[in-house]
Amino acid sequence: MSTAVESKTDAPANEPEANKLFRMCIKYQGSDLHLKVGLAPSMRLAGVLRQMQLPPLTTHDMERLMYPLLNPRQRGILDEEGGVDFAHIILDGDVETRFRVNLFKARGRLSLVARRVSNKIPTFEQLHLPPSLAEITQYDQGIIIFAGVTGSGKSTSIASMLQYVNERERMHIVTIEDPIEYTYKDDKSVINQREVGIDVIDWDIALKHAVRQDPDIILVGELRDRDTFNAAMHAAETGHLVFGTIHAGTAPSTISRLLDLFPRDMHSSLRQSLAFNLKAVVAQKLLPTTKEWAEKGVTRVPTNEIMRMNPTVKKLILNEEDTKLGDAIRIGMSEGMQDFTESLRQLVVAEKIERAVAFEVAPSPESLKMALKGITINQPGIL
């Protein structure tokens, strides 16, 4: 595809003018829409930003296109905080396409990045996720944390896990989201989705309500601060299975990221809570696929690090020996754990990613090199 993208598309006359750009993203299967003053609209195709064949946007253009998309509450958040998240829905008959939108100010002018969210929740197989994630959904209570940077596919993977439960178990699942990304259809489970700012005023009230709604599973979205984490932990302690996300690079570093939410004098009690309530941490990164897989329509696949709570991991967390958690993961493969090195090795062997890509993101290129040669590194005792 050339750098410029043809900008012709059909759109109903009575919908917001900005929908023409969103529909372009749908038409060309773009993953993200980017709008910035001074540049032509762009979309991300197969991981690469491409400009549309349109004139550069002016400040007036952005205000004319964006403000009609906001309700009064969202406009107030944008003006007060300098940015706002919301969901934008494009309808084509009975087909609904959702975008997760971040509208923000940069140098005093509006910019937008919108992530297109697939209508259909993909399966583990379609996402190329480790099968062991199915086992993680079977806990009766506790907290499961997905770690990764923005755009690493955390929300999609959790949606796949919840859909797995929905298709197999008679549960009540409550999600608290800002905004709602994937919409579920009740199957064997009953699913109630609440959007902060529309269905409920804020996260705190939503979480207080959630534990009174007879849930089996609660999705709390991002563990963004101390209050959200405390509420999620309380829900886990009172007999619910809780899913949450956090910005962290690896499974072991997730522990320190959670501790960073609290003052030092609270770390000991927090470690106690984590040791008894944390069930698993799944860290994820998205990587570009080989040409062969890209031609099949699979442009990115996840590499996952999985840390599950066993006696060794629990003891290391309680004893503040977080630096040894990586070793615990490596020797816990028989219990459904894996580190990034093993995940990358599997992806290379399956020819889903290029060796160069694997070595670029590998925590230890030397360990990956040895793993690809079939050499097992004996770990020192960690107890």
Side-chain angles (χ1 to χ4, degrees):
M1 171 121 11
S2 61
T3 300
V5 178
E6 291 286 344
S7 59
K8 294 180 181 179
T9 188
D10 296 324
N14 60 344
E15 69 176 8
E17 185 182 355
N19 277 16
K20 176 182 177 182
L21 300 174
F22 286 97
R23 288 184 180 278
M24 282 293 303
C25 198
I26 297 170
K27 178 180 178 181
Y28 285 98
Q29 296 290 301
S31 62
D32 301 84
L33 175 66
H34 287 246
L35 305 179
K36 179 184 178 182
V37 172
L39 296 176
S42 303
M43 70 179 80
R44 189 175 294 278
L45 302 174
V48 180
L49 277 177
R50 309 282 191 181
Q51 287 193 343
M52 300 181 191
Q53 292 182 344
L54 290 171
L57 294 163
T58 66
T59 299
H60 176 69
D61 290 335
M62 284 296 292
E63 293 175 352
R64 187 186 79 251
L65 292 168
M66 295 298 104
Y67 286 150
L69 304 183
L70 304 177
N71 61 33
R73 170 186 168 273
Q74 293 162 346
R75 179 65 188 272
I77 293 173
L78 174 66
D79 291 339
E80 292 175 18
E81 300 182 8
V84 61
D85 295 315
F86 60 96
H88 186 60
I89 300 172
I90 302 294
L91 293 174
D92 188 3
D94 294 332
V95 178
E96 177 183 286
T97 302
R98 298 178 70 87
F99 285 83
R100 182 181 66 195
V101 181
N102 181 247
L103 180 64
F104 58 97
K105 293 180 180 179
R107 296 175 63 189
R109 299 180 292 190
L110 291 176
S111 291
L112 172 141
V113 177
R115 166 66 52 86
R116 183 170 63 90
V117 181
S118 173
N119 298 325
K120 187 175 180 181
I121 300 172
T123 64
F124 292 166
E125 294 77 15
Q126 290 168 333
L127 291 175
H128 301 266
L129 289 169
S132 60
L133 292 191
E135 298 175 18
I136 292 175
T137 67
Q138 301 304 300
Y139 288 109
D140 292 327
Q141 67 180 83
I143 187 166
I144 296 166
I145 298 176
F146 249 83
V149 300
T150 301
S152 60
K154 301 185 299 293
S155 298
T156 303
S157 294
I158 289 179
S160 182
M161 295 175 79
L162 295 183
Q163 181 62 14
Y164 180 88
V165 175
N166 183 31
E167 293 171 353
R168 291 165 176 80
E169 307 285 345
R170 298 193 179 279
M171 300 279 190
H172 180 208
I173 301 172
V174 176
T175 77
I176 303 165
E177 301 171 77
D178 183 17
I180 289 173
E181 297 185 33
Y182 289 94
T183 53
Y184 301 85
K185 292 183 179 179
D186 300 332
D187 194 337
K188 289 191 174 179
S189 292
V190 176
I191 304 181
N192 282 300
Q193 295 182 259
R194 308 194 76 195
E195 184 162 333
V196 175
I198 296 178
D199 301 309
V200 63
I201 190 169
D202 59 33
W203 288 91
D204 290 341
I205 291 177
L207 283 162
K208 288 177 183 177
H209 287 178
V211 296
R212 300 169 186 164
Q213 293 162 354
D214 187 33
D216 298 290
I217 297 176
I218 304 172
L219 168 63
V220 299
E222 184 180 349
L223 302 172
R224 60 184 69 193
D225 54 37
R226 191 186 311 177
D227 291 339
T228 306
F229 179 76
N230 277 334
M233 190 63 77
H234 173 70
E237 291 170 343
T238 52
H240 308 96
L241 183 60
V242 179
F243 286 81
T245 67
I246 196 166
H247 289 264
T250 66
S253 69
T254 297
I255 303 302
S256 60
R257 283 284 293 114
L258 292 171
L259 292 170
D260 287 344
L261 297 175
F262 296 82
R264 178 70 190 177
D265 60 2
M266 295 180 66
H267 284 191
S268 179
S269 61
L270 179 59
R271 286 182 179 276
Q272 292 278 343
S273 294
L274 287 171
F276 290 102
N277 293 292
L278 183 63
K279 298 302 180 185
V281 178
V282 182
Q284 180 166 299
K285 302 173 184 177
L286 286 180
L287 304 177
T289 57
T290 59
K291 181 179 179 181
E292 290 74 18
W293 279 93
E295 289 173 349
K296 298 176 185 178
V298 181
T299 58
R300 294 189 295 175
V301 291
T303 176
N304 294 99
E305 184 168 64
I306 302 172
M307 181 175 74
R308 299 180 68 172
M309 191 61 64
N310 65 7
T312 301
V313 173
K314 182 182 294 188
K315 183 176 180 179
L316 293 174
I317 291 175
L318 287 172
N319 292 344
E320 301 185 22
E321 296 181 285
D322 301 345
T323 56
K324 297 181 180 179
L325 288 172
D327 293 339
I329 293 171
R330 280 187 284 276
I331 66 174
M333 289 182 60
S334 63
E335 299 177 74
M337 298 196 221
Q338 70 175 26
D339 64 1
F340 277 126
T341 297
E342 172 59 19
S343 176
L344 291 168
R345 185 196 69 80
Q346 293 176 13
L347 291 171
V348 171
V349 170
E351 298 182 346
K352 293 181 179 179
I353 64 172
E354 301 287 355
R355 290 174 65 96
V357 170
F359 279 105
E360 184 178 339
V361 301
S364 169
E366 186 61 31
S367 295
L368 177 58
K369 183 178 180 180
M370 296 176 70
L372 288 169
K373 291 180 178 179
I375 301 173
T376 302
I377 304 174
N378 292 322
Q379 296 298 334
I382 60 175
L383 295 179

